[in-house]
Amino acid sequence: MIKGLYEAHLPVSDLERSVAFYEGLGLKLAKKYKKTAFFWIVKNESWIGLWEAEQANIPYHASIRHIAFRVELEDLRTAKDWLKERGISMREEFGFQPVEPIVMPDQAHAMVYFHDPDGNSLEFICRLENEPEEKPDMYLSEWEAYLKNKDLMA
């Protein structure tokens, strides 16, 4: 029955500012109304809605103010510089400083985190090729060194 996620929504305090921000991320504006805008993530497959409202500054919780965008590993490697070119800083997450992507081996994912102008949590994430492993979270460079050593030992 379910084929994927079609839409997600975020609250924003200034729609024009947010439209400029999300266009800066490379998303294409699909539809704009007086207080709402929709951006294609993948055209005709998934989009996000931005809703201007007084309630935009509700306390953050990952379950209500977070969107993760799927990216390729090679793009994730350059995400810090890519974001910096757009005036956006990566942010600390899970106790890791924003120096490079974080790997969650038990999920086989790598990711970076940043905020939009309203403090909504945004994430670039990719699935890693290997199977999940019960290892502590680590930086991508540490993960790749672990995999290299693991291959040398095999």
Side-chain angles (χ1 to χ4, degrees), residues 2-14:
I2 296 173
K3 305 290 189 253
L5 179 66
Y6 188 81
E7 70 182 6
H9 301 271
L10 292 174
V12 299
S13 61
D14 181 333

Side-chain angles (χ1 to χ4, degrees), residues 4 9 20 24 27-29 37 44 57 85-86 101-102 104 120-121:
H9 301 271
L27 297 182
K28 184 172 175 15
L29 183 63
N44 298 323
N57 295 319
E85 290 170 4
R86 288 152 180 79
I102 303 164
M104 292 183 159
N120 291 309
S121 173

Side-chain angles (χ1 to χ4, degrees), residues 78-113:
T78 61
K80 183 177 182 177
D81 291 335
W82 188 89
L83 289 167
K84 186 177 181 180
E85 290 170 4
R86 288 152 180 79
I88 304 166
S89 298
M90 285 176 36
R91 68 174 171 82
E92 180 181 336
E93 186 61 45
F94 306 117
F96 287 84
Q97 294 301 307
V99 295
E100 65 174 287
I102 303 164
V103 170
M104 292 183 159
D106 66 337
Q107 296 179 10
H109 285 103
M111 65 278 297
V112 300
Y113 292 87

